[in-house]
């Protein structure tokens, strides 16, 4: 019997099974370790790391049905949430397609390939909807517009992943035809957009002698829709593009280069910084040519002398007993007379130390300094050395310092590629740095609040907070108890409800 087909009613259950026996504790512990390791590998997965990480997957002991089900679910969820990596996750599935384990309900085997197809079928038939039980949130609590957007994005991810699996011969043509027919019959904007995405991936593979008649019928219907059906301009342009794509022998006008490598991202960041620096230098030249500018601009060209406290006290008596305001490096006033900063005549190293000791007491300035330092991509040892040289133990242990550090590190690993996403590999590099200063439950809770504010500031991109939570939990930067404490103290945990469902399930199974 052919196993490469969707079969209705055979969607696997991913909830944990309850079994008795003395050895279950050890088995559960080993299973938890395998799942945690696999999740960590997925978090690091990039095209350039494929070969080394797939070898680590091969070394995992996936030897029971429950672990296999969880592995399938993790891969599919990753593929749907990180759609730019769909092809990479499809390649991983192709590598694991022969994986099998003994069935708990029969004498036969459970195959990774069959469970993967059943999971994809469930996603497609549900049209991207996630069951309330899995979301741990009722429909009444969810904003309808936000729910619709999430389901649409998930359905797009589903058809894209199915298309990538088809290109690797893991799904037969009959399944693809079934999907296309269902999308065409719906005729709603979301389904037509998914149809265009699916045809752009699988169209070339279907344009052969055997499948061409069916493909021709699809395109005839698309042409009919373009002439007769009222639709939004956006969907109309998509359908026109997919017609033009076939006429152009499936060669797209813009080449889809897939996800960018870390080196490419670094190069783009470097080029952006160089452009900003060039614009800044041009601006400075213009200010000098005009003969001045704001004091805040001019003072960058020379060091500012920091006047000791006793001298300040003396000058305050000279100003009719009035206390001089401190805290800004601009100008100070005495009897209405403005005093300009004095050029620094002390040695450069001493001047730098004085300057640092002045402004590093401010949380916002600490954040800006750390942010500039992280942009240079130094190793963690260099960052720790810089912190040791500029802060005493009390300052390093303060909540203000932890807030500044977490904020700077998290900002440095968020990448804007049209949508905000997480550079997981860079965050993993900074884990040891975070662990060094996030030393107790209070600081862990502080870090989660900072992270929530940061993600909220950029309009809470879908899945970004969840990706942060996954890495910080996998690498044990934040403990389970702190996550639950954070959830009880916040009203904005909807975007990570799936994470807490997984956390609760893990605690039930292994505690």
């Amino acid at each position: 019997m052919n196993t490469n087909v969707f079969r209705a009613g055979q969607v696997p259950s991913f909830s944990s099974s309850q079994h008795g026996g003395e050895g279950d504790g050890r088995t559960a512990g080993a299973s938890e370790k395998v799942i945690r390791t696999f999740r960590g590998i997925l978090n690091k997965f990039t095209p350039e790391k494929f070969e080394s990480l797939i070898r680590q997957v091969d070394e995992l002991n996936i030897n029971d049905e429950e672990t296999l089900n969880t592995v399938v679910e993790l891969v599919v969820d990753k593929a749907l949430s990180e759609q730019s990596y769909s092809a990479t996750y499809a390649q991983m599935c192709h590598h694991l397609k022969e994986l099998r384990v003994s069935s708990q309900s029969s004498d036969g085997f459970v195959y990774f390939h069959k469970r993967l197809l059943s999971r994809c079928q469930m996603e497609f038939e549900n049209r991207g909807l996630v069951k309330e039980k899995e979301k741990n949130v009722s429909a009444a609590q969810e904003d309808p517009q936000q729910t619709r957007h999430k389901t649409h994005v998930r359905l797009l991810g589903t058809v894209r992943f199915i298309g990538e699996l088809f290109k690797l011969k893991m799904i037969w043509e009959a399944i693809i035809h079934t999907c296309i027919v269902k999308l065409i019959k719906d005729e709603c904007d979301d389904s037509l957009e998914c149809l265009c995405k699916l045809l752009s991936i699988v169209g070339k593979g279907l344009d052969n002698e055997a499948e061409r008649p069916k493909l021709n019928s699809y395109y005839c219907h698309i042409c009919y829709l373009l002439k007769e059906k009222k639709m939004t301009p956006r969907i109309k342009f998509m359908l026109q593009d997919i017609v033009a794509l076939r006429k152009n022998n499936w060669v797209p006008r813009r080449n889809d280069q897939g996800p960018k490598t870390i080196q490419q991202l670094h190069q783009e960041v470097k080029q952006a910084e160089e452009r900003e620096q060039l614009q800044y230098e041009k601006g400075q030249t213009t200010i000098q040519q005009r003969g001045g500018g704001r004091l805040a601009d001019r003072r960058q060209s020379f060091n500012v002398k920091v006047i000791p406290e006793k001298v300040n006290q003396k000058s305050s008596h000279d100003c009719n007993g009035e206390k001089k305001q401190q805290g800004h490096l601009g100008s100070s006033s005495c009897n209405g007379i403005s005093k300009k900063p004095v050029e620094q005549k002390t040695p450069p190293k001493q001047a730098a130390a004085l300057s640092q000791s002045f402004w590093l007491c401010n949380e916002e300035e600490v954040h800006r300094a750390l942010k500039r330092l992280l942009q240079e991509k130094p190793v963690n040892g260099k960052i720790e050395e810089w912190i040791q040289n500029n802060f005493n133990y009390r300052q390093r242990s303060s909540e203000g310092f932890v807030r500044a550090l977490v904020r700077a590190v998290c900002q440095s690993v968020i990448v804007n590629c049209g949508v905000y996403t997480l550079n997981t590999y860079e965050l993993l590099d900074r884990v040891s740095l975070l662990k060094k200063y996030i030393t107790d439950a209070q600081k862990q809770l502080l870090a989660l609040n900072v992270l929530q504010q940061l993600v909220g500031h950029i309009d809470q991109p879908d899945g970004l907070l969840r990706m942060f939570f996954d890495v910080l939990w996998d690498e044990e930067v934040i403990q389970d108890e702190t996550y639950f404490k954070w959830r009880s103290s916040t009203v904005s945990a909807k975007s990570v409800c799936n994470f807490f469902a997984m956390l609760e399930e893990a605690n039930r199974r292994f505690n």
Side-chain angles (χ1 to χ4, degrees):
M1 180 174 60
N2 173 33
T3 61
N4 200 3
V5 236
F6 286 147
R7 290 184 292 170
Q10 294 196 357
V11 176
S13 170
F14 297 102
S15 60
S16 61
S17 303
Q18 302 297 327
H19 300 286
E22 297 179 357
D24 284 352
R26 291 191 298 272
T27 304
S31 181
E32 178 193 18
K33 184 177 179 181
V34 169
I35 293 168
R36 183 184 285 265
T37 304
F38 185 73
R39 187 192 298 274
I41 292 172
L42 284 179
N43 286 336
K44 302 174 188 176
F45 224 75
T46 59
E48 57 201 333
K49 296 287 181 181
F50 182 86
E51 294 298 333
S52 60
L53 292 176
I54 205 68
R55 285 196 292 270
Q56 295 181 32
V57 173
D58 290 338
E59 294 171 1
L60 295 178
N61 187 23
I62 303 173
N63 58 4
D64 62 85
E65 185 175 352
E66 190 174 341
T67 304
L68 180 68
N69 288 340
T70 307
V71 165
V72 169
E73 186 171 7
L74 288 174
V75 173
V76 173
D77 281 343
K78 272 288 187 180
L80 303 192
S81 61
E82 299 177 13
Q83 296 180 24
S84 58
Y85 290 92
S86 286
T88 306
Y89 291 120
Q91 289 174 8
M92 170 189 270
C93 294
H94 185 264
H95 182 84
L96 296 175
K97 67 178 183 179
E98 301 299 333
L99 177 64
R100 67 178 189 179
V101 297
S102 298
S103 174
Q104 294 176 346
S105 57
S106 66
D107 295 333
F109 293 98
V110 177
Y111 289 87
F112 174 88
H113 191 184
K114 291 175 67 176
R115 287 296 165 93
L116 174 69
L117 296 180
S118 295
R119 188 70 168 89
C120 290
Q121 178 192 16
M122 182 180 74
E123 287 290 342
F124 183 80
E125 290 181 348
N126 288 342
R127 291 294 191 269
L129 292 172
V130 183
K131 292 180 181 178
E132 281 185 21
K133 185 169 124 181
E134 294 177 355
K135 290 176 64 179
N136 196 26
V137 62
S138 66
Q141 295 175 310
E142 188 84 26
D143 177 32
Q145 188 174 359
Q146 186 180 13
T147 302
R148 183 181 180 280
H149 172 71
K150 286 182 178 179
T151 55
H152 174 58
V153 170
R154 194 169 180 90
L155 180 57
L156 270 176
T158 302
V159 297
R160 184 168 183 170
F161 187 51
I162 288 173
E164 296 295 344
L165 291 174
F166 169 75
K167 287 167 67 175
L168 296 174
K169 307 299 182 186
M170 292 187 69
I171 291 180
W172 280 18
E173 289 85 349
I175 298 172
I176 299 298
H177 287 306
T178 302
C179 295
I180 292 174
V181 169
K182 286 186 177 181
L183 292 172
I184 286 180
K185 284 182 177 180
D186 282 350
E187 290 191 2
C188 67
D189 283 0
D190 288 352
S191 293
L192 291 178
E193 182 177 352
C194 291
L195 172 67
C196 293
K197 173 60 70 177
L198 185 58
L199 284 175
S200 68
I201 298 173
V202 305
K204 186 176 181 179
L206 293 178
D207 203 354
N208 54 54
E209 188 175 350
E211 307 299 330
R212 192 168 293 131
K214 290 183 180 179
L215 189 63
N216 289 339
S217 68
Y218 304 149
Y219 271 83
C220 286
H221 192 75
I222 289 174
C223 292
Y224 166 78
L225 292 175
L226 285 169
K227 290 179 180 179
E228 304 296 334
K229 183 177 171 57
K230 291 184 179 180
M231 61 186 73
T232 60
R234 177 173 170 269
I235 299 300
K236 187 172 185 177
F237 291 144
M238 284 185 178
L239 292 173
Q240 290 172 345
D241 285 344
I242 205 66
V243 171
L245 180 63
R246 190 186 186 193
K247 289 180 179 178
N248 199 33
N249 274 337
W250 305 103
V251 178
R253 290 182 298 172
R254 294 181 298 272
N255 188 25
D256 183 10
Q257 298 178 348
K260 296 177 181 177
T261 63
I262 294 174
Q263 287 79 5
Q264 288 174 323
L265 291 173
H266 286 175
Q267 185 65 26
E268 288 183 1
V269 170
K270 184 178 179 181
Q271 290 172 354
E273 290 174 351
E274 289 174 352
R275 286 194 298 270
E276 289 178 4
Q277 182 64 25
L278 185 61
Q279 291 175 356
Y280 172 76
E281 290 173 356
K282 286 181 179 178
Q284 289 295 98
T285 303
T286 304
I287 290 173
Q288 292 173 4
Q289 289 173 349
R290 293 176 180 176
R294 294 181 297 120
L295 179 61
D297 296 322
R298 295 202 307 273
R299 72 175 181 231
Q300 295 180 12
S301 61
F302 61 93
N303 292 321
V304 178
K305 183 176 181 179
V306 180
I307 303 175
E309 186 179 355
K310 291 183 179 179
V311 178
N312 288 341
Q313 291 174 355
K314 182 179 178 181
S315 62
S316 67
H317 289 297
D318 294 339
C319 297
N320 298 324
E322 293 180 1
K323 287 188 178 181
K324 185 164 29 173
Q325 297 295 325
Q326 301 180 25
H328 295 283
L329 290 180
S331 60
S332 59
S333 63
C334 182
N335 290 335
I337 301 173
S338 178
K339 294 186 177 181
K340 294 182 180 179
V342 183
E343 278 196 23
Q344 178 60 274
K345 296 181 180 179
T346 53
K349 290 184 179 179
Q350 184 179 352
L354 285 170
S355 177
Q356 287 174 345
S357 65
F358 182 85
W359 56 261
L360 285 182
C361 298
N362 182 283
E363 179 182 327
E364 191 61 32
E365 293 291 351
V366 174
H367 164 254
R368 281 198 282 265
L370 285 167
K371 188 176 177 181
R372 285 193 296 269
L373 184 62
L374 286 163
Q375 285 174 348
E376 300 171 4
K377 309 296 181 185
V379 296
N380 289 338
K382 290 289 184 182
I383 300 174
E384 291 173 13
E385 181 182 352
W386 181 85
I387 292 172
Q388 292 284 344
N389 291 338
N390 288 283
F391 301 93
N392 58 34
Y393 175 77
R394 183 176 178 182
Q395 290 170 328
R396 296 194 300 270
S397 305
S398 68
E399 291 187 355
F401 174 80
V402 173
R403 278 195 298 266
L405 176 66
V406 172
R407 186 174 156 203
V409 169
C410 292
Q411 283 178 324
S412 71
V413 298
I414 295 176
V415 181
N416 185 1
C417 301
V419 293
Y420 289 101
T421 187
L422 175 64
N423 188 332
T424 308
Y425 196 73
E426 283 197 7
L427 180 57
L428 289 167
D429 283 344
R430 300 300 181 199
V431 160
S432 62
L433 178 66
L434 292 173
K435 280 185 174 181
K436 186 174 181 66
Y437 299 102
I438 302 176
T439 53
D440 55 43
Q442 182 61 32
K443 289 186 174 66
Q444 291 176 19
L445 187 61
L446 196 69
L448 292 180
N449 288 330
V450 170
L451 184 55
Q452 181 188 17
Q453 292 170 4
L454 177 61
V455 173
H457 184 67
I458 54 177
D459 297 330
Q460 299 188 9
D462 191 31
L464 182 60
L465 189 60
R466 168 67 191 269
M467 287 188 277
F468 270 110
F469 275 29
D470 281 341
V471 175
L472 296 177
W473 182 72
D474 287 332
E475 301 301 320
E476 300 181 348
V477 179
I478 310 293
Q479 301 302 316
D480 295 17
E481 296 79 8
T482 309
Y483 279 115
F484 289 123
K485 185 176 180 180
W486 174 85
R487 184 178 65 172
S488 65
S489 64
T490 184
V491 295
S492 181
K494 292 180 181 178
S495 61
V496 286
C497 54
N498 283 341
F499 171 82
F500 282 104
M502 176 275 299
L503 203 58
E504 290 170 347
E505 181 68 18
N507 277 266
R508 282 196 296 270
R509 289 169 61 189
F510 306 118
N511 290 342

